[in-house]
Amino acid sequence: MNAPFVARADEVALLDETLDRAGSGMAGAVLLAADAGVGKTRLVQHVAAQATAAGAHVVVTHCVDLGDVGLPYLPFAETLAQLHALAPGVVDEIVAARPALARLMPGQPAAADGSANRLQLFEGLVEVLGAVGTAGHPLLLVVEDVHWADSSSRDVLRFLVSRLRDQHLLLVASYRTDDLHRRHPWRPVAAELARHPRVQRLDLRPFTPDELREFTVAVTGASVPEQSLRRVVDRSEGNAYFAQELLEAGTDADELPWSLAEVLRARLEGLDPEVQQLVRVASVAGRRVDERLLRAAVGD
Ligand SMILES: Nc1ncnc2c1ncn2[C@@H]1O[C@H](COP(=O)(O)OP(=O)(O)O)[C@@H](O)[C@H]1O
Ligand SMILES: [Mg+2]
């Protein structure tokens, strides 16, 4: 069960304001960045629920970790399917006028991937995204985990941002900062997008100790002794996911904290023995390890 939503008043206010502006015809985008487990998904879920209640259209799609190649346009195929469910007439009309867009629709044959088709597909997507939201009822498009976006989807995001004008549209793209190694392909794209005047970057911080206290009450339904709370603060460094794991591992608040190591070990025990061995070796290398070094060390 999800704990009640806590903290994040400034972030919610910023997203609400940008969505309000989108509702009055000033399209925008927000890049929501944080380490895994800090609370990106929960924040957008919260804002999305409020937005829906206030009459906005909401579409939430996800990028998936499919390695280097990925599935081209995956989050936007999902977007188009959801938009079709929201406004079938609008989508069908635009797809009919821009046949290249049909390749994103379920059960459609893929059109050749020439540059003319690509442009038509990009323009078609921007048109659909611009056609669904109306004054006072903007479209909130959330694309989660764009650090996993394939290169076509990254291109769509860049194109879309370059076309933000008077659409009733807010794009929120979330990504994990801890996953972005130096040559990660999302890095230059994020930097480029962040320079665009319609784009705001929202760096979600880990919880402060006070926020973590509030979170603790939300998770456990009770207040936790100060000393236990301090240990959760230290061990989780304000990361909501880690804090939650630590709190849930302790059945009795007095017995808090179980060390995160124990929580992690319990998880690791569920893995294949070979994977466990890999993790054991990787763990002595610190937070990051070069793949070649790791291969050499495990004798692959
Ligand atoms: N503001 C919040 N209020 C209540 N629970 C939260 C909040 N932020 C995060 N959580 C919880 O912490 C966990 C990790 O958050 P999540 O949004 O999944 O992180 P991320 O998407 O950044 O990896 C989830 O169980 C989530 O429900
Ligand atoms: Mg998430």
Side-chain angles (χ1 to χ4, degrees), residues 35-42 44-45 62 144-145 147-148 174-176:
D35 285 358
V38 168
K40 303 176 292 299
T41 296
R42 190 59 196 274
V44 292
Q45 280 173 349
H62 303 84
E144 281 252 63
D145 297 321
H147 55 283
W148 284 325
S174 75
Y175 63 96
R176 273 158 66 159

